[in-house]
Amino acid sequence: MSISLEAIVARHADRDGPLLPILHDVQAEIGAIDAGTETRIAHLLNLTRAEVHGVVSFYHDFKAQADPRPVVHICRAEACQARGIEAMMPAVAAAAGDRVRVETVYCLGLCSVGPNARIGDDLHARLDEGALTKLVERA
Ligand code: FES
Protein backbone atom coordinates (compact mmCIF):
# COMPACT_ATOMS: atom_id res chain seq x y z
CA MET A 1 0.00 0.00 0.00
CA SER A 2 1.38 3.39 -0.90
CA ILE A 3 1.61 6.29 1.47
CA SER A 4 -1.02 9.01 1.32
CA LEU A 5 -0.33 12.56 0.28
CA GLU A 6 -1.60 13.75 3.65
CA ALA A 7 0.94 11.53 5.45
CA ILE A 8 3.77 12.95 3.34
CA VAL A 9 2.70 16.52 4.06
CA ALA A 10 2.36 15.73 7.80
CA ARG A 11 5.90 14.30 7.78
CA HIS A 12 7.22 17.78 6.91
CA ALA A 13 4.75 19.85 8.94
CA ASP A 14 7.38 21.26 11.31
CA ARG A 15 9.82 22.37 8.64
CA ASP A 16 10.39 25.87 7.39
CA GLY A 17 9.76 25.79 3.66
CA PRO A 18 8.27 22.31 3.45
CA LEU A 19 7.17 22.47 -0.18
CA LEU A 20 10.31 21.21 -1.88
CA PRO A 21 10.90 18.22 0.43
CA ILE A 22 7.22 17.36 0.15
CA LEU A 23 7.43 17.44 -3.64
CA HIS A 24 10.52 15.21 -3.61
CA ASP A 25 8.78 12.69 -1.37
CA VAL A 26 5.60 12.76 -3.46
CA GLN A 27 7.61 12.17 -6.64
CA ALA A 28 9.58 9.34 -5.04
CA GLU A 29 6.71 7.63 -3.24
CA ILE A 30 3.69 8.31 -5.45
CA GLY A 31 5.57 8.55 -8.74
CA ALA A 32 4.12 11.75 -10.19
CA ILE A 33 2.83 15.20 -9.31
CA ASP A 34 -0.19 15.80 -11.51
CA ALA A 35 -2.50 18.83 -11.49
CA GLY A 36 -4.82 17.29 -8.90
CA THR A 37 -1.90 16.54 -6.61
CA GLU A 38 -0.64 20.10 -6.98
CA THR A 39 -4.07 21.37 -5.94
CA ARG A 40 -4.21 19.07 -2.92
CA ILE A 41 -0.69 20.04 -1.80
CA ALA A 42 -1.58 23.71 -2.21
CA HIS A 43 -4.68 23.23 -0.08
CA LEU A 44 -2.77 21.37 2.64
CA LEU A 45 -0.04 24.04 2.77
CA ASN A 46 -2.37 27.01 2.39
CA LEU A 47 -0.71 28.01 -0.88
CA THR A 48 -2.15 28.69 -4.30
CA ARG A 49 -1.89 26.01 -6.95
CA ALA A 50 0.12 28.49 -9.01
CA GLU A 51 2.74 28.65 -6.24
CA VAL A 52 3.01 24.87 -6.14
CA HIS A 53 2.99 24.55 -9.92
CA GLY A 54 5.71 27.17 -10.21
CA VAL A 55 8.05 25.01 -8.14
CA VAL A 56 6.99 21.75 -9.82
CA SER A 57 7.55 23.15 -13.30
CA PHE A 58 10.91 24.69 -12.39
CA TYR A 59 12.55 21.35 -11.51
CA HIS A 60 12.65 18.76 -14.27
CA ASP A 61 12.91 15.94 -11.72
CA PHE A 62 9.19 16.35 -11.08
CA LYS A 63 6.92 14.51 -13.52
CA ALA A 64 3.22 15.07 -14.13
CA GLN A 65 2.76 11.43 -15.13
CA ALA A 66 4.39 8.36 -13.68
CA ASP A 67 7.06 6.84 -15.91
CA PRO A 68 7.50 3.14 -15.19
CA ARG A 69 10.74 2.83 -17.14
CA PRO A 70 13.99 2.20 -15.27
CA VAL A 71 16.08 5.33 -14.85
CA VAL A 72 19.83 5.70 -15.23
CA HIS A 73 21.28 8.94 -13.92
CA ILE A 74 24.48 9.86 -15.69
CA CYS A 75 26.82 12.52 -14.40
CA ARG A 76 27.72 15.05 -17.05
CA ALA A 77 29.41 17.58 -14.79
CA GLU A 78 32.91 18.86 -15.39
CA ALA A 79 35.04 16.06 -13.92
CA CYS A 80 33.06 13.37 -15.71
CA GLN A 81 33.15 15.44 -18.89
CA ALA A 82 36.93 15.61 -18.59
CA ARG A 83 36.95 11.81 -18.37
CA GLY A 84 34.97 11.41 -21.57
CA ILE A 85 31.30 11.07 -20.69
CA GLU A 86 30.11 13.23 -23.58
CA ALA A 87 31.71 10.94 -26.17
CA MET A 88 29.84 7.99 -24.61
CA MET A 89 26.38 9.56 -24.76
CA PRO A 90 25.46 8.45 -28.30
CA ALA A 91 26.16 4.82 -27.33
CA VAL A 92 24.19 5.33 -24.11
CA ALA A 93 21.22 6.68 -26.06
CA ALA A 94 21.36 3.73 -28.43
CA ALA A 95 21.53 1.26 -25.55
CA ALA A 96 18.66 2.96 -23.75
CA GLY A 97 16.31 3.22 -26.70
CA ASP A 98 12.79 3.86 -25.48
CA ARG A 99 13.03 1.22 -22.75
CA VAL A 100 15.29 3.10 -20.31
CA ARG A 101 15.06 6.72 -19.25
CA VAL A 102 18.48 8.37 -19.17
CA GLU A 103 18.71 11.49 -17.06
CA THR A 104 21.59 13.86 -16.67
CA VAL A 105 22.78 14.80 -13.21
CA TYR A 106 25.50 17.23 -12.30
CA CYS A 107 27.85 15.49 -9.90
CA LEU A 108 27.34 12.32 -7.92
CA GLY A 109 30.14 13.14 -5.49
CA LEU A 110 32.61 10.68 -7.02
CA CYS A 111 34.48 13.13 -9.22
CA SER A 112 37.91 11.48 -8.92
CA VAL A 113 36.65 8.11 -10.18
CA GLY A 114 34.37 9.10 -13.07
CA PRO A 115 32.67 8.80 -15.38
CA ASN A 116 29.88 7.85 -13.00
CA ALA A 117 26.26 6.79 -13.08
CA ARG A 118 23.56 5.91 -10.57
CA ILE A 119 20.71 3.44 -10.78
CA GLY A 120 18.43 3.75 -7.78
CA ASP A 121 20.76 3.94 -4.77
CA ASP A 122 23.62 2.14 -6.53
CA LEU A 123 26.56 4.21 -7.71
CA HIS A 124 28.75 3.00 -10.56
CA ALA A 125 32.22 4.50 -11.05
CA ARG A 126 35.13 4.27 -13.48
CA LEU A 127 32.77 3.58 -16.37
CA ASP A 128 34.02 3.21 -19.88
CA GLU A 129 31.67 3.06 -22.84
CA GLY A 130 31.30 -0.71 -22.72
CA ALA A 131 30.58 -0.81 -18.98
CA LEU A 132 28.16 2.09 -19.19
CA THR A 133 26.18 0.69 -22.10
CA LYS A 134 25.97 -2.71 -20.35
CA LEU A 135 24.69 -0.93 -17.27
CA VAL A 136 22.01 0.81 -19.32
CA GLU A 137 21.04 -2.39 -21.13
CA ARG A 138 20.65 -4.22 -17.80
CA ALA A 139 18.74 -1.43 -16.05
S1 FES B 1 31.62 15.46 -11.81
FE1 FES B 1 30.81 13.50 -12.10
S2 FES B 1 30.72 12.74 -10.08
FE2 FES B 1 31.37 14.77 -9.79
Side-chain angles (χ1 to χ4, degrees), residues 45-128:
L45 295 179
N46 199 24
L47 299 170
T48 66
R49 180 176 167 231
E51 290 171 306
V52 175
H53 182 72
V55 176
V56 169
S57 61
F58 183 79
Y59 295 98
H60 61 80
D61 282 348
F62 300 138
K63 310 293 182 204
Q65 293 182 321
D67 186 340
R69 296 178 297 169
V71 181
V72 178
H73 291 104
I74 296 180
C75 177
R76 296 173 76 177
E78 291 170 2
C80 289
Q81 281 184 20
R83 293 171 183 266
I85 191 62
E86 293 306 318
M88 298 179 205
M89 291 311 292
V92 167
D98 292 332
R99 190 188 66 79
V100 175
R101 185 161 43 113
V102 174
E103 293 195 349
T104 295
V105 293
Y106 292 96
C107 199
L108 292 167
L110 302 167
C111 308
S112 64
V113 291
N116 303 308
R118 181 182 64 211
I119 300 177
D121 292 332
D122 295 329
L123 295 168
H124 302 270
R126 302 183 198 281
L127 295 167
D128 60 19

